[in-house]
Amino acid sequence: MKNEYIPFTIGKQKRIALIAHDGKKHDLINWCEENKEILQKHFLCGTGTTARLIAEQTGLPVKGYNSGPLGGDQQIGAKIVEGGIDLVVFFSDPLEAQPHDPDVKALLRIAQVYDIPMANNKSTADFIITSSYMNTEYVHEVINFNKNIEGRVKSML
């Protein structure tokens, strides 16, 4: 199949989703404060309470979506599909059961499908935010879904 992948460009100004489970919100807020100088150069969004707390406690402008359990994770996933999110920083709590775990797994999956960098802990977020790619455009390849669907349809005929 020709053109299985198509190039996508992540711009110099990143569109960053900030998400945290309740037990990790304080950690994410602290991380945002520590990296405020870098983050203020980018467009920030996040799920409900997390977005509001980051904005209130750091002064960073953060566009808020619904709370995770009320569909916020799915809204962020939809923005990834639309090409509106370039990076996800999601401080998840691996020691606490989450009522919306299927939504979280769907978000992780869609970030993988669209080859979006995703940090799920402070160490990974630190590596990403200090990467030279944070200051430049980055071209990556994503599956050509139209071509993929064409091939699947042909195989079913």
Side-chain angles (χ1 to χ4, degrees), residues 9-23:
T9 301
I10 294 175
K12 187 174 180 177
Q13 183 183 35
K14 309 299 184 268
R15 297 162 298 181
I16 304 171
L18 302 167
I19 308 166
H21 286 144
D22 289 349

Side-chain angles (χ1 to χ4, degrees), residues 91-110:
F91 282 18
S92 60
D93 189 346
L95 303 178
E96 192 69 36
Q98 303 299 326
H100 62 295
D101 194 51
D103 298 333
V104 172
K105 286 183 176 156
L107 174 61
L108 296 172
R109 182 185 163 282
I110 211 70

